[in-house]
mmCIF file of all heavy atoms in Angstrom:
data_model
loop_
_atom_site.group_PDB
_atom_site.id
_atom_site.type_symbol
_atom_site.label_atom_id
_atom_site.label_comp_id
_atom_site.label_asym_id
_atom_site.label_seq_id
_atom_site.Cartn_x
_atom_site.Cartn_y
_atom_site.Cartn_z
ATOM 1 N N LEU A 92 18.642 -2.211 -23.302
ATOM 2 C CA LEU A 92 18.022 -3.189 -24.201
ATOM 3 C C LEU A 92 17.937 -4.562 -23.553
ATOM 4 O O LEU A 92 16.989 -5.314 -23.794
ATOM 5 C CB LEU A 92 18.785 -3.257 -25.525
ATOM 6 C CG LEU A 92 18.708 -1.993 -26.385
ATOM 7 C CD1 LEU A 92 19.507 -2.173 -27.662
ATOM 8 C CD2 LEU A 92 17.280 -1.581 -26.670
ATOM 9 N N LYS A 93 18.892 -4.871 -22.694
ATOM 10 C CA LYS A 93 18.856 -6.139 -21.972
ATOM 11 C C LYS A 93 17.594 -6.205 -21.089
ATOM 12 O O LYS A 93 16.928 -7.240 -21.022
ATOM 13 C CB LYS A 93 20.121 -6.285 -21.125
ATOM 14 C CG LYS A 93 20.276 -7.603 -20.442
ATOM 15 C CD LYS A 93 21.617 -7.669 -19.705
ATOM 16 C CE LYS A 93 21.748 -8.983 -18.974
ATOM 17 N NZ LYS A 93 23.014 -9.062 -18.231
ATOM 18 N N GLN A 94 17.267 -5.088 -20.436
ATOM 19 C CA GLN A 94 16.067 -5.047 -19.591
ATOM 20 C C GLN A 94 14.803 -5.181 -20.452
ATOM 21 O O GLN A 94 13.892 -5.937 -20.124
ATOM 22 C CB GLN A 94 16.014 -3.747 -18.782
ATOM 23 C CG GLN A 94 17.236 -3.453 -17.948
ATOM 24 C CD GLN A 94 17.700 -4.589 -17.074
ATOM 25 O OE1 GLN A 94 16.913 -5.198 -16.362
ATOM 26 N NE2 GLN A 94 18.989 -4.888 -17.123
ATOM 27 N N PHE A 95 14.755 -4.435 -21.549
ATOM 28 C CA PHE A 95 13.586 -4.500 -22.428
ATOM 29 C C PHE A 95 13.423 -5.893 -23.027
ATOM 30 O O PHE A 95 12.306 -6.406 -23.147
ATOM 31 C CB PHE A 95 13.686 -3.461 -23.555
ATOM 32 C CG PHE A 95 13.632 -2.034 -23.088
ATOM 33 C CD1 PHE A 95 14.570 -1.119 -23.528
ATOM 34 C CD2 PHE A 95 12.644 -1.589 -22.220
ATOM 35 C CE1 PHE A 95 14.524 0.208 -23.120
ATOM 36 C CE2 PHE A 95 12.585 -0.275 -21.797
ATOM 37 C CZ PHE A 95 13.529 0.627 -22.256
ATOM 38 N N ASP A 96 14.547 -6.517 -23.402
ATOM 39 C CA ASP A 96 14.479 -7.867 -23.966
ATOM 40 C C ASP A 96 13.958 -8.869 -22.938
ATOM 41 O O ASP A 96 13.161 -9.744 -23.275
ATOM 42 C CB ASP A 96 15.856 -8.316 -24.474
ATOM 43 C CG ASP A 96 16.258 -7.640 -25.773
ATOM 44 O OD1 ASP A 96 15.366 -7.154 -26.504
ATOM 45 O OD2 ASP A 96 17.481 -7.589 -26.054
ATOM 46 N N ARG A 97 14.404 -8.734 -21.713
ATOM 47 C CA ARG A 97 13.933 -9.647 -20.670
ATOM 48 C C ARG A 97 12.427 -9.470 -20.463
ATOM 49 O O ARG A 97 11.685 -10.433 -20.355
ATOM 50 C CB ARG A 97 14.676 -9.425 -19.358
ATOM 51 C CG ARG A 97 14.286 -10.500 -18.330
ATOM 52 C CD ARG A 97 14.890 -10.306 -16.972
ATOM 53 N NE ARG A 97 16.341 -10.347 -16.983
ATOM 54 C CZ ARG A 97 17.081 -10.002 -15.944
ATOM 55 N NH1 ARG A 97 16.534 -9.580 -14.831
ATOM 56 N NH2 ARG A 97 18.379 -10.080 -16.013
ATOM 57 N N ALA A 98 11.973 -8.236 -20.421
ATOM 58 C CA ALA A 98 10.539 -7.980 -20.257
ATOM 59 C C ALA A 98 9.756 -8.492 -21.465
ATOM 60 O O ALA A 98 8.718 -9.131 -21.318
ATOM 61 C CB ALA A 98 10.279 -6.487 -20.054
ATOM 62 N N GLY A 99 10.276 -8.237 -22.657
ATOM 63 C CA GLY A 99 9.592 -8.672 -23.872
ATOM 64 C C GLY A 99 9.559 -10.171 -24.049
ATOM 65 O O GLY A 99 8.686 -10.704 -24.738
ATOM 66 N N SER A 100 10.485 -10.880 -23.416
ATOM 67 C CA SER A 100 10.522 -12.336 -23.552
ATOM 68 C C SER A 100 9.439 -13.028 -22.721
ATOM 69 O O SER A 100 9.221 -14.226 -22.889
ATOM 70 C CB SER A 100 11.903 -12.874 -23.155
ATOM 71 O OG SER A 100 12.085 -12.785 -21.755
ATOM 72 N N GLN A 101 8.789 -12.296 -21.847
ATOM 73 C CA GLN A 101 7.719 -12.864 -21.017
ATOM 74 C C GLN A 101 6.434 -12.960 -21.837
ATOM 75 O O GLN A 101 5.764 -11.952 -22.062
ATOM 76 C CB GLN A 101 7.483 -11.996 -19.774
ATOM 77 C CG GLN A 101 8.707 -11.814 -18.921
ATOM 78 C CD GLN A 101 9.310 -13.143 -18.538
ATOM 79 O OE1 GLN A 101 8.660 -13.976 -17.944
ATOM 80 N NE2 GLN A 101 10.563 -13.339 -18.902
ATOM 81 N N LEU A 102 6.095 -14.140 -22.275
ATOM 82 C CA LEU A 102 4.954 -14.316 -23.171
ATOM 83 C C LEU A 102 3.626 -13.887 -22.543
ATOM 84 O O LEU A 102 2.715 -13.480 -23.241
ATOM 85 C CB LEU A 102 4.876 -15.762 -23.651
ATOM 86 C CG LEU A 102 6.077 -16.229 -24.474
ATOM 87 C CD1 LEU A 102 5.901 -17.673 -24.908
ATOM 88 C CD2 LEU A 102 6.289 -15.327 -25.681
ATOM 89 N N MET A 103 3.529 -13.971 -21.227
ATOM 90 C CA MET A 103 2.289 -13.562 -20.565
ATOM 91 C C MET A 103 2.316 -12.076 -20.191
ATOM 92 O O MET A 103 1.422 -11.576 -19.536
ATOM 93 C CB MET A 103 2.042 -14.417 -19.311
ATOM 94 C CG MET A 103 1.902 -15.902 -19.620
ATOM 95 S SD MET A 103 0.654 -16.269 -20.865
ATOM 96 C CE MET A 103 -0.826 -15.916 -19.947
ATOM 97 N N ASN A 104 3.314 -11.362 -20.614
ATOM 98 C CA ASN A 104 3.466 -9.944 -20.332
ATOM 99 C C ASN A 104 2.497 -9.152 -21.203
ATOM 100 O O ASN A 104 2.660 -9.091 -22.419
ATOM 101 C CB ASN A 104 4.917 -9.540 -20.609
ATOM 102 C CG ASN A 104 5.139 -8.051 -20.627
ATOM 103 O OD1 ASN A 104 4.266 -7.261 -20.322
ATOM 104 N ND2 ASN A 104 6.342 -7.666 -20.998
ATOM 105 N N SER A 105 1.527 -8.539 -20.578
ATOM 106 C CA SER A 105 0.563 -7.749 -21.342
ATOM 107 C C SER A 105 1.182 -6.438 -21.824
ATOM 108 O O SER A 105 0.580 -5.726 -22.620
ATOM 109 C CB SER A 105 -0.672 -7.455 -20.490
ATOM 110 O OG SER A 105 -0.304 -6.697 -19.356
ATOM 111 N N GLN A 106 2.387 -6.123 -21.359
ATOM 112 C CA GLN A 106 3.064 -4.891 -21.749
ATOM 113 C C GLN A 106 4.236 -5.147 -22.698
ATOM 114 O O GLN A 106 5.152 -4.338 -22.790
ATOM 115 C CB GLN A 106 3.565 -4.160 -20.509
ATOM 116 C CG GLN A 106 2.475 -3.654 -19.629
ATOM 117 C CD GLN A 106 3.035 -2.728 -18.556
ATOM 118 O OE1 GLN A 106 4.198 -2.323 -18.575
ATOM 119 N NE2 GLN A 106 2.200 -2.392 -17.614
ATOM 120 N N ARG A 107 4.198 -6.263 -23.396
ATOM 121 C CA ARG A 107 5.306 -6.561 -24.311
ATOM 122 C C ARG A 107 5.478 -5.456 -25.351
ATOM 123 O O ARG A 107 6.599 -5.101 -25.705
ATOM 124 C CB ARG A 107 5.073 -7.901 -25.015
ATOM 125 C CG ARG A 107 5.280 -9.077 -24.081
ATOM 126 C CD ARG A 107 4.904 -10.387 -24.712
ATOM 127 N NE ARG A 107 5.875 -10.762 -25.722
ATOM 128 C CZ ARG A 107 5.600 -11.554 -26.747
ATOM 129 N NH1 ARG A 107 4.393 -12.074 -26.896
ATOM 130 N NH2 ARG A 107 6.523 -11.866 -27.617
ATOM 131 N N MET A 108 4.366 -4.901 -25.794
ATOM 132 C CA MET A 108 4.457 -3.843 -26.790
ATOM 133 C C MET A 108 5.176 -2.623 -26.211
ATOM 134 O O MET A 108 5.967 -1.983 -26.905
ATOM 135 C CB MET A 108 3.068 -3.471 -27.284
ATOM 136 C CG MET A 108 3.106 -2.860 -28.640
ATOM 137 S SD MET A 108 1.547 -3.068 -29.445
ATOM 138 C CE MET A 108 1.687 -1.721 -30.562
ATOM 139 N N VAL A 109 4.923 -2.320 -24.948
ATOM 140 C CA VAL A 109 5.624 -1.222 -24.278
ATOM 141 C C VAL A 109 7.121 -1.519 -24.260
ATOM 142 O O VAL A 109 7.946 -0.647 -24.561
ATOM 143 C CB VAL A 109 5.088 -1.013 -22.842
ATOM 144 C CG1 VAL A 109 5.959 -0.042 -22.065
ATOM 145 C CG2 VAL A 109 3.645 -0.554 -22.862
ATOM 146 N N SER A 110 7.479 -2.756 -23.914
ATOM 147 C CA SER A 110 8.889 -3.138 -23.874
ATOM 148 C C SER A 110 9.554 -2.920 -25.231
ATOM 149 O O SER A 110 10.644 -2.343 -25.319
ATOM 150 C CB SER A 110 9.028 -4.609 -23.462
ATOM 151 O OG SER A 110 8.391 -4.861 -22.234
ATOM 152 N N TYR A 111 8.897 -3.351 -26.283
ATOM 153 C CA TYR A 111 9.483 -3.241 -27.618
ATOM 154 C C TYR A 111 9.510 -1.811 -28.136
ATOM 155 O O TYR A 111 10.481 -1.391 -28.772
ATOM 156 C CB TYR A 111 8.750 -4.151 -28.606
ATOM 157 C CG TYR A 111 8.929 -5.619 -28.301
ATOM 158 C CD1 TYR A 111 7.885 -6.511 -28.461
ATOM 159 C CD2 TYR A 111 10.144 -6.122 -27.847
ATOM 160 C CE1 TYR A 111 8.035 -7.860 -28.185
ATOM 161 C CE2 TYR A 111 10.312 -7.470 -27.567
ATOM 162 C CZ TYR A 111 9.257 -8.333 -27.743
ATOM 163 O OH TYR A 111 9.411 -9.666 -27.468
ATOM 164 N N THR A 112 8.461 -1.032 -27.868
ATOM 165 C CA THR A 112 8.470 0.342 -28.366
ATOM 166 C C THR A 112 9.472 1.197 -27.592
ATOM 167 O O THR A 112 10.100 2.086 -28.161
ATOM 168 C CB THR A 112 7.064 0.975 -28.344
ATOM 169 O OG1 THR A 112 6.512 0.894 -27.030
ATOM 170 C CG2 THR A 112 6.147 0.290 -29.346
ATOM 171 N N ARG A 113 9.638 0.916 -26.294
ATOM 172 C CA ARG A 113 10.668 1.646 -25.541
ATOM 173 C C ARG A 113 12.062 1.254 -26.026
ATOM 174 O O ARG A 113 12.950 2.102 -26.115
ATOM 175 C CB ARG A 113 10.545 1.380 -24.042
ATOM 176 C CG ARG A 113 9.400 2.134 -23.403
ATOM 177 C CD ARG A 113 9.414 1.971 -21.908
ATOM 178 N NE ARG A 113 8.323 2.685 -21.278
ATOM 179 C CZ ARG A 113 8.151 2.717 -19.955
ATOM 180 N NH1 ARG A 113 8.979 2.076 -19.147
ATOM 181 N NH2 ARG A 113 7.144 3.390 -19.440
ATOM 182 N N ALA A 114 12.258 -0.008 -26.333
ATOM 183 C CA ALA A 114 13.553 -0.445 -26.876
ATOM 184 C C ALA A 114 13.801 0.229 -28.221
ATOM 185 O O ALA A 114 14.925 0.659 -28.503
ATOM 186 C CB ALA A 114 13.586 -1.966 -27.015
ATOM 187 N N ALA A 115 12.768 0.341 -29.033
ATOM 188 C CA ALA A 115 12.905 1.020 -30.329
ATOM 189 C C ALA A 115 13.255 2.488 -30.127
ATOM 190 O O ALA A 115 14.157 3.012 -30.796
ATOM 191 C CB ALA A 115 11.611 0.881 -31.137
ATOM 192 N N ALA A 116 12.578 3.150 -29.194
ATOM 193 C CA ALA A 116 12.866 4.563 -28.931
ATOM 194 C C ALA A 116 14.308 4.749 -28.455
ATOM 195 O O ALA A 116 14.989 5.699 -28.853
ATOM 196 C CB ALA A 116 11.878 5.117 -27.905
#
Side-chain angles (χ1 to χ4, degrees):
L92 293 180
K93 186 176 178 181
Q94 306 310 311
F95 294 131
D96 286 338
R97 187 184 299 170
S100 72
Q101 303 306 302
L102 297 180
M103 299 306 289
N104 168 7
S105 62
Q106 294 190 10
R107 287 173 72 205
M108 204 156 156
V109 170
S110 304
Y111 294 142
T112 55
R113 284 187 180 182

